[in-house]
Amino acid sequence: GALGRRLGGTRPAGFSRGVSQVLAEPMAWNQAPVAVTTLPNGVRVASRETFGEVSSVGVFLNAGVRDEAKDSAGAAHLIEQLALTGTAKRPKAKLEAEVESMGATLSMKAGREQTSYTMSVLNSDLKQGVDILSDLVTNPAVGNLAKEKEGILRKLDETEVPTRQVIDDRLHTCAFRDYALGFSGVGPFEGIESLTEAHLKSFVDANYTAENMVIAASGPLKHQELVSLASSAFGSVKAGGPKPGSTKPYFCGAELIYRNDEMGPTAYIAVGWEAVPWKSPDAVTFMVMQSIIGSYKKNTGLVPGTISGNRVINAVANKMQVGCADEFEAFNYFYKDTGMFGFYIACDEVAVEHAIGELMFGCNLLSFSVTDEEVERAKRELKCKLFSAPTSAEASCMELGQQILAYGRGLPPAEMILRIEAIDAEEVKRVAYKYLNDGEVAVTALGPLHGMPQYYDLRRATGMHRY
């Protein structure tokens, strides 16, 4: 007991809840807080006031690939392609002319779980910007399908999708094979040619509803002004009916291998573990773990990998005196009820086994032998990555919209720093042991894979062999 008290006395006292809440308050750091208002129909309106001349406003929807059904796979992709083809009120030529005359930018992106329509405008044009977004979202251009379908399908066939994107997509297909979260986001889409306007309308009606919608804006604007604009533009959006019950997507430990020895010397591999949702208490620890493993690209960056202080990068860059990967990157995907943590590798065909071995070993060490120095370096790098990201109004608006959908509130930078600072090596070991050690893995790979370990060996590699 006395020893415990003495040891306990050497630890720095944590902040009390009251103190940490004050420190996390943006106004304590002279930063504008996020203001959120919910309209009577359930649409949430969020804004963050910044300096400058440009405001960015967006409509963010809790809808994406995972809301498709088996018979409507590819609907989110078609809606994304049709988004800017004009509406009944604004045909394509008129829409383009209106956006150009304002000097604005307009974009639409459909993701696995979230969809966004964003527009950057001069502050004097904010009302017109909200009106255009309202038109695009409340009257989506599904009626243009018959006219545009052939061009969209041809583009889908001819467009070269980056390999990294394809591997990520197939990893989700492998891991969440029995759920819509595993449906493809980049194609090919089975049966997409038979999708009709009715399929797309049904998808929009079910998902473009008031409770799924967030209007977010960042720029030199007043929150009340945005609320009144949103009320007139989106106040008539109907709430959706009761959602059918759904279960958490089951993470399936399996492999999906595309071996092709003719496609050149580079093999592409991704391995993923089941991780945690956005709101999990362990989510920030996973972000730090991603930073501990880090990312590497041969012959780029300020510090050569061969003398890197990152254990995994150092081991990969020095393997067999020549290195065993051209690049690798740890990744983290958070969703509303699950997540995925893992790594992506691009390496030479003769180094496949070495590269996978080093990365699997690095992920194993998170459960057993993480040092405080490693964790401090990872925390520094994570903060640097989070707070040196683009600071434009558009980037700020995208971040705000995503946060409201994910957390139901804006996340103050000071709070994020406090949450990162609270993590130490023991916490990393606890979380890694709980979720990664002896856990199921999903594996997908493409290219010359004659050195690829058997799935059985990869599954065994998720634990330490101790004799």
Side-chain angles (χ1 to χ4, degrees), residues 111-238:
R112 203 163 279 281
E113 193 174 73
Q114 298 176 355
T115 298
S116 64
Y117 294 75
T118 52
M119 196 165 184
S120 293
V121 295
L122 288 171
N123 209 38
S124 53
D125 295 322
L126 186 64
K127 184 178 180 182
Q128 194 178 354
V130 171
D131 185 56
I132 291 173
L133 288 174
S134 154
D135 192 23
L136 293 176
V137 174
T138 55
N139 308 300
V142 294
N144 297 342
L145 179 62
K147 189 172 66 178
E148 303 282 346
K149 192 172 187 179
E150 191 185 331
I152 292 171
L153 295 181
R154 189 168 61 247
K155 184 179 169 188
L156 194 59
D157 280 341
E158 293 170 0
T159 304
E160 193 81 21
V161 181
T163 309
R164 171 70 201 273
Q165 228 174 306
V166 174
I167 292 285
D168 275 351
D169 191 73
R170 301 301 185 263
L171 187 62
H172 280 80
T173 300
C174 178
F176 302 112
R177 55 176 61 191
D178 300 320
Y179 289 82
L181 189 58
F183 287 0
S184 177
V186 299
F189 304 97
E190 199 174 332
I192 192 172
E193 57 286 334
S194 61
L195 289 187
T196 62
E197 191 181 321
H199 285 108
L200 301 193
K201 188 155 182 5
S202 153
F203 179 85
V204 168
D205 290 346
N207 297 295
Y208 283 38
T209 54
E211 70 280 4
N212 280 352
M213 204 175 280
V214 170
I215 317 301
S218 180
L221 48 85
K222 296 295 173 208
H223 183 67
Q224 275 318 114
E225 179 194 1
L226 182 67
V227 170
S228 64
L229 291 174
S231 296
S232 56
F234 296 94
S236 58
V237 175
K238 290 183 171 58

Side-chain angles (χ1 to χ4, degrees), residues 28-359:
W29 302 95
N30 204 23
Q31 292 175 328
V34 171
V36 183
T37 300
T38 305
L39 301 182
N41 62 344
V43 173
R44 286 165 290 174
V45 182
S47 72
R48 182 191 281 126
E49 197 173 341
T50 61
F51 300 104
E53 295 297 318
V54 175
S55 291
S56 192
V57 60
V59 180
F60 297 84
L61 294 146
N62 207 344
V65 172
R66 73 174 296 177
D67 296 290
E68 296 171 347
K70 266 219 164 84
D71 63 345
S72 65
H77 179 79
L78 284 178
I79 289 168
E80 181 180 22
Q81 296 300 312
L82 290 169
L84 306 181
T85 59
T87 63
K89 183 176 163 187
R90 288 181 174 87
K92 188 175 182 182
K94 185 181 177 190
L95 175 66
E96 286 176 355
E98 196 172 339
V99 172
E100 280 177 17
S101 69
M102 295 159 65
T105 60
L106 174 63
S107 64
M108 188 273 185
K109 187 175 186 305
R112 203 163 279 281
E113 193 174 73
Q114 298 176 355
T115 298
S116 64
Y117 294 75
T118 52
M119 196 165 184
S120 293
V121 295
L122 288 171
N123 209 38
S124 53
D125 295 322
L126 186 64
K127 184 178 180 182
Q128 194 178 354
V130 171
D131 185 56
I132 291 173
L133 288 174
S134 154
D135 192 23
L136 293 176
V137 174
T138 55
N139 308 300
V142 294
N144 297 342
L145 179 62
K147 189 172 66 178
E148 303 282 346
K149 192 172 187 179
E150 191 185 331
I152 292 171
L153 295 181
R154 189 168 61 247
K155 184 179 169 188
L156 194 59
D157 280 341
E158 293 170 0
T159 304
E160 193 81 21
V161 181
T163 309
R164 171 70 201 273
Q165 228 174 306
V166 174
I167 292 285
D168 275 351
D169 191 73
R170 301 301 185 263
L171 187 62
H172 280 80
T173 300
C174 178
F176 302 112
R177 55 176 61 191
D178 300 320
Y179 289 82
L181 189 58
F183 287 0
S184 177
V186 299
F189 304 97
E190 199 174 332
I192 192 172
E193 57 286 334
S194 61
L195 289 187
T196 62
E197 191 181 321
H199 285 108
L200 301 193
K201 188 155 182 5
S202 153
F203 179 85
V204 168
D205 290 346
N207 297 295
Y208 283 38
T209 54
E211 70 280 4
N212 280 352
M213 204 175 280
V214 170
I215 317 301
S218 180
L221 48 85
K222 296 295 173 208
H223 183 67
Q224 275 318 114
E225 179 194 1
L226 182 67
V227 170
S228 64
L229 291 174
S231 296
S232 56
F234 296 94
S236 58
V237 175
K238 290 183 171 58
K243 285 264 185 188
S246 62
T247 54
K248 175 169 104 66
Y250 178 78
F251 185 93
C252 183
E255 68 175 355
L256 185 57
I257 302 295
Y258 300 85
R259 180 171 170 179
N260 181 349
D261 292 345
E262 311 297 313
M263 65 171 278
T266 306
Y268 306 90
I269 303 133
V271 176
W273 282 260
E274 184 174 21
V276 296
W278 284 106
K279 285 185 176 178
S280 165
D282 296 327
V284 178
T285 311
F286 265 99
M287 291 163 76
V288 172
M289 283 157 53
Q290 178 190 1
S291 220
I292 292 173
I293 302 296
S295 62
Y296 164 73
K297 216 168 196 169
K298 202 168 188 171
N299 301 327
T300 60
L302 198 59
V303 179
T306 46
I307 57 168
S308 172
N310 180 319
R311 271 203 286 192
V312 182
I313 292 176
N314 201 303
V316 165
N318 285 306
K319 189 80 173 187
M320 313 280 284
Q321 283 80 54
V322 291
C324 62
D326 299 325
E327 63 175 293
F328 76 76
E329 183 183 6
F331 60 73
N332 235 334
Y333 298 116
F334 295 125
Y335 300 107
K336 57 191 167 197
D337 49 6
T338 185
M340 183 151 49
F341 170 86
F343 56 81
Y344 162 82
I345 309 171
C347 65
D348 193 88
E349 57 186 309
V350 298
V352 169
E353 195 171 359
H354 287 297
I356 292 178
E358 288 297 345
L359 267 296

